[in-house]
Amino acid sequence: MMLSLASRILREPAPRVLGKFAYNFGWKSLWAVQRYQRGLKRGETIPAFMIISVTNDCNLRCQGCWVTQKPSAQIAPDTLRRVIRESKARGSYFFGILGGEPLLYSGILDLLGEFPDCYFQIFTNGTVITDAIAAKMRALGNVTPLISLEGLEKVSDERRGGRGVFKRTLDSLDLCRKHRLITGVATSVCQSNFDDVVSEQHIRELVRRGALYVWYYIYRPSGPNPCPELALSREQIIKLRQFMVDARCRVPAIIVDAYWDHDGCALCPAAVGISHHINPRGDIEPCPPIQFARDNIADGNLMEVMRDSAFLRDFRKLATTETRGCVFLEKPAELAAFMEQQGARDVTGRGTGLAELKRLPVLPDHHLPGAEIREKSWMYRFAKRNWFFGFGAYG
């Protein structure tokens, strides 16, 4: 399988796309993680990767989405440029670009093209990708579209709140394949789509459509319409974990998760501080669904603000002592009490974030004591141990 995957990676992307991926993402990310690890030894936590929501505008209304679209908010272009420059200065060259729908941010690809030495992953619903946009991504080379696909047609359209969303998403995959991009597919796994997407047949269909990587993450009910009834059971999470471990040995695609280390122990990226989130108003949040902040990018140099933030430091302490999993799912009451004690600002744009958090039930997450499933693939074991999860943040 590894030979088939390697063959796909070498043959399918355009040469410029592959070169930017190998150097800007691959090589530079390795160095960013090493710098992050050296910082931990000095008692500093400076993220290796940045997640930035550039706008809250979106053309869909998805179940369980935390984004409030009114009033409209966008990070100013010059501010976004400053964030990228200040991140680069501390060795961070990889950026997740979120929304809303980030491709609705006017001029986003031209702006990202100003930083050819960086790599950008655009989290998109895919419905606004045109032939021209896919061609522009190919010309830039330093952009990978991560396209959300929430199941098969009936469930996907229901989850995304619109007719024809599933078809438009598949059309965008075909355009990305036509232009030989490195394309990913992201799925929030929940009750309604579990049987459709947790399937080898499903991944092989995505491979046929040109997806080089598939990212599974667990549904997190959030926002004004959280739909907690869609959350996975513990048994389903175990099944999802086993499925991914097995699929990595059988399917020629990269299977991504951000939850488990090489031994199958749970981990939270925000809890270890390898990444945090900047919202469209410049507020610095622990992660996208946890919409509380005490710091803003206007407070000074971004990396220094994040390094010195008492709020982020105390959040990491809370998250690593309360659970190895997701404090948002496992400990919503404790998280709400923490935000009140911290005097953190509600940055939802709704003014109802604390009340929403207090209403959330305790839900299963990826912390599975006694049911840990080790990686079978030597490649994933090596990569997770050395490049992403081997930080000792949980003692």
Side-chain angles (χ1 to χ4, degrees):
M1 193 285 296
M2 290 302 171
L3 289 177
S4 297
L5 175 58
S7 176
R8 289 193 66 212
I9 292 172
L10 292 174
R11 288 185 300 103
E12 294 183 14
R16 179 175 177 81
V17 170
L18 179 59
K20 291 283 187 179
F21 173 77
Y23 185 65
N24 287 13
F25 172 70
W27 180 252
K28 288 186 176 180
S29 290
L30 295 183
W31 281 106
V33 170
Q34 289 185 11
R35 281 187 285 267
Y36 161 82
Q37 290 176 301
R38 290 196 298 269
L40 290 184
K41 294 177 181 178
R42 298 192 302 268
E44 292 185 345
T45 304
I46 299 177
F49 314 114
M50 295 302 305
I51 304 174
I52 308 169
S53 288
V54 295
T55 180
N56 63 356
D57 292 340
C58 191
N59 59 330
L60 299 179
R61 302 291 186 272
C62 301
Q63 292 173 325
C65 181
W66 57 82
V67 177
T68 293
Q69 299 176 25
K70 293 181 180 180
S72 178
Q74 294 194 352
I75 189 168
D78 284 345
T79 302
L80 181 56
R81 292 183 180 98
R82 177 173 71 83
V83 167
I84 296 171
R85 286 195 298 268
E86 291 176 357
S87 299
K88 283 173 49 180
R90 295 303 294 263
S92 296
Y93 288 84
F94 177 73
F95 301 85
I97 305 298
L98 286 67
E101 169 49 55
L103 291 176
L104 294 179
Y105 184 99
S106 179
I108 184 62
L109 293 180
D110 289 330
L111 192 153
L112 302 185
E114 296 175 18
F115 300 92
D117 55 341
C118 295
Y119 201 76
F120 301 95
Q121 183 180 50
I122 296 183
F123 292 67
T124 173
N125 60 44
T127 61
V128 296
I129 292 179
T130 62
D131 189 80
I133 287 175
K136 178 73 171 180
M137 290 181 180
R138 174 173 175 164
L140 293 176
N142 65 338
V143 173
T144 174
L146 178 61
I147 299 172
S148 297
L149 186 64
E150 297 303 319
L152 302 185
E153 185 168 12
K154 180 180 179 181
V155 172
S156 187
D157 284 0
E158 181 181 6
R159 287 285 318 280
R160 309 317 293 266
R163 287 187 176 183
V165 176
F166 178 75
K167 182 181 183 304
R168 283 184 285 165
T169 302
L170 295 186
D171 289 345
S172 71
L173 278 171
D174 292 340
L175 287 172
C176 292
R177 179 180 58 182
K178 170 187 172 183
H179 289 281
R180 301 178 65 191
L181 303 179
I182 290 178
T183 306
V185 171
T187 299
S188 174
V189 186
C190 66
Q191 290 286 345
S192 61
N193 66 17
F194 188 91
D195 292 336
D196 291 336
V197 301
V198 183
S199 126
E200 186 172 321
Q201 179 183 356
H202 175 70
I203 299 182
R204 290 192 180 277
E205 174 61 18
L206 297 179
V207 168
R208 189 185 71 79
R209 290 183 175 272
L212 275 168
Y213 64 101
V214 181
W215 189 340
Y216 287 103
Y217 52 97
I218 297 168
Y219 176 76
R220 282 165 169 72
S222 54
N225 182 31
C227 302
E229 67 276 7
L230 292 177
L232 296 180
S233 68
R234 186 175 190 271
E235 292 71 25
Q236 287 173 314
I237 295 171
I238 293 172
K239 185 177 178 180
L240 172 64
R241 169 63 180 166
Q242 185 68 64
F243 166 75
M244 290 192 295
V245 167
D246 293 340
R248 284 168 174 151
C249 299
R250 295 200 298 258
V251 182
I254 300 169
I255 311 297
V256 181
D257 73 77
Y259 300 126
W260 291 281
D261 67 11
H262 58 285
D263 285 326
C265 296
L267 182 143
C268 165
V272 302
I274 196 170
S275 183
H276 290 304
H277 176 243
I278 298 170
N279 75 15
R281 300 174 186 85
D283 300 302
I284 304 172
E285 305 166 354
C287 71
I290 300 178
Q291 295 180 281
F292 296 88
R294 281 177 48 189
D295 309 290
N296 189 281
I297 56 178
D299 296 338
N301 180 280
L302 170 66
M303 289 302 190
E304 292 177 2
V305 171
M306 298 181 83
R307 179 196 64 194
D308 299 335
S309 170
F311 172 69
L312 293 177
R313 183 192 64 234
D314 291 347
F315 169 82
R316 291 191 292 266
K317 182 178 179 181
L318 171 82
T320 53
T321 55
E322 288 288 343
T323 175
R324 281 196 64 109
C326 175
V327 67
F328 181 79
L329 290 176
E330 274 197 61
K331 305 281 184 175
E334 289 83 348
L335 184 59
F338 170 81
M339 295 304 172
E340 288 185 301
Q341 183 270 326
Q342 287 277 322
R345 290 179 286 110
D346 175 347
V347 293
T348 61
R350 301 181 295 275
T352 56
L354 196 62
E356 292 167 9
L357 189 56
K358 288 180 177 180
R359 285 196 298 267
L360 280 180
V362 174
L363 295 168
D365 74 340
H366 58 290
H367 182 36
L368 305 168
E372 292 85 357
I373 301 169
R374 296 187 72 238
E375 293 291 343
K376 292 180 180 179
S377 164
W378 66 265
M379 184 182 77
Y380 286 88
R381 283 200 306 272
F382 182 83
K384 286 191 169 190
R385 182 185 294 116
N386 293 283
W387 296 335
F388 196 71
F389 290 129
F391 308 133
Y394 293 85

